[in-house]
């Protein structure tokens, strides 16, 4: 089962280059607690921006080159391999970015967990459009963001 976890601003901005334009520690804690002890998938740019494998999770990095230096991570060269491995599984696999990875996995995703940051930020990396295919079924307001849970329509 695939779930996307992401934070974006009201305009779907998720990054400015490889950087997240905000630092909201409460959202980082939410991400950690949600993904802990699960499999997480992200692209090589996201991996490089983090700089290391995230502890207490199975880290899978999508990259065209198996020779990427990604200690503590499994490197996979094809989204199809991950989809074939997990799409019919009860195991929860969190898709963690970046924009291209989100876009590729969106059709296979059962749930979106979106931290919608209340303030607008400048950025050139956007989360793909999703509101035509997903419906919000739960909201959890916080000071600087709202966690919104979406399921496929």
């Amino acid at each position: 089962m695939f779930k996307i976890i992401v934070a974006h601003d009201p305009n779907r901005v998720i990054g400015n280059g490889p950087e997240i334009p905000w630092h909201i520690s409460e959202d980082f804690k939410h991400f950690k607690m949600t993904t802990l002890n699960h499999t997480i998938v992200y692209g090589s740019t996201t991996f490089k921006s983090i700089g290391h494998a995230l502890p207490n999770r199975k880290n899978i990095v999508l990259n065209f080159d198996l020779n990427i230096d990604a200690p503590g991570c499994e490197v996979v060269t094809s989204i199809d391999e991950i989809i074939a491995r997990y799409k019919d599984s009860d195991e929860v696999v969190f898709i963690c970015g970046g924009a291209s990875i989100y876009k590729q996995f969106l059709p296979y995703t059962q749930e979106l967990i979106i931290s919608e940051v209340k303030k607008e930020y400048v950025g050139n990396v956007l989360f793909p459009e999703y509101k035509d295919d997903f419906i919000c079924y739960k909201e959890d307001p916080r000071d600087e963001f709202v966690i919104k849970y979406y399921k496929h329509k």
Side-chain angles (χ1 to χ4, degrees):
M1 169 188 293
F2 296 111
K3 294 184 180 190
I4 285 177
I5 186 165
V6 64
H8 70 61
D9 83 344
N11 299 313
R12 297 188 343 273
V13 169
I14 61 172
N16 195 16
E19 304 295 322
I20 298 172
W22 54 81
H23 182 86
I24 302 173
S25 61
E26 186 179 7
D27 184 50
F28 288 132
K29 289 176 188 169
H30 159 69
F31 175 89
K32 179 180 179 180
M33 294 310 300
T34 303
T35 62
L36 214 53
N37 302 313
H38 289 286
T39 298
I40 58 174
V41 175
Y42 43 89
S44 58
T45 302
T46 301
F47 171 75
K48 288 173 188 169
S49 73
I50 297 168
H52 57 85
L54 295 176
N56 302 311
R57 283 157 272 214
K58 179 180 180 183
N59 290 248
I60 299 176
V61 176
L62 260 167
N63 192 55
F64 295 117
D65 182 2
L66 285 173
N67 294 320
I68 183 176
D69 185 25
C73 300
E74 176 185 355
V75 179
V76 175
T77 59
S78 161
I79 185 175
D80 294 334
E81 182 181 337
I82 295 170
I83 291 167
R85 189 187 311 176
Y86 293 106
K87 83 171 193 173
D88 295 323
S89 170
D90 289 336
E91 182 178 348
V92 176
V93 177
F94 286 97
I95 309 306
C96 303
S100 170
I101 304 299
Y102 286 136
K103 185 176 183 177
Q104 291 176 70
F105 273 98
L106 207 53
Y108 305 98
T109 299
Q110 288 79 20
E111 183 177 39
L112 309 177
I113 303 171
I114 297 177
S115 295
E116 191 171 294
V117 178
K118 293 178 181 177
K119 184 178 168 191
E120 290 185 13
Y121 287 85
V122 172
N124 58 0
V125 183
L126 302 178
F127 189 73
E129 289 282 354
Y130 59 93
K131 292 192 176 176
D132 288 345
D133 298 319
F134 291 84
I135 186 165
C136 184
Y137 68 90
K138 179 178 158 187
E139 293 188 13
D140 182 5
R142 307 292 174 94
D143 288 341
E144 297 179 75
F145 62 100
V146 178
I147 303 169
K148 295 183 176 182
Y149 297 85
Y150 289 83
K151 62 181 176 180
H152 242 292
K153 287 184 177 178

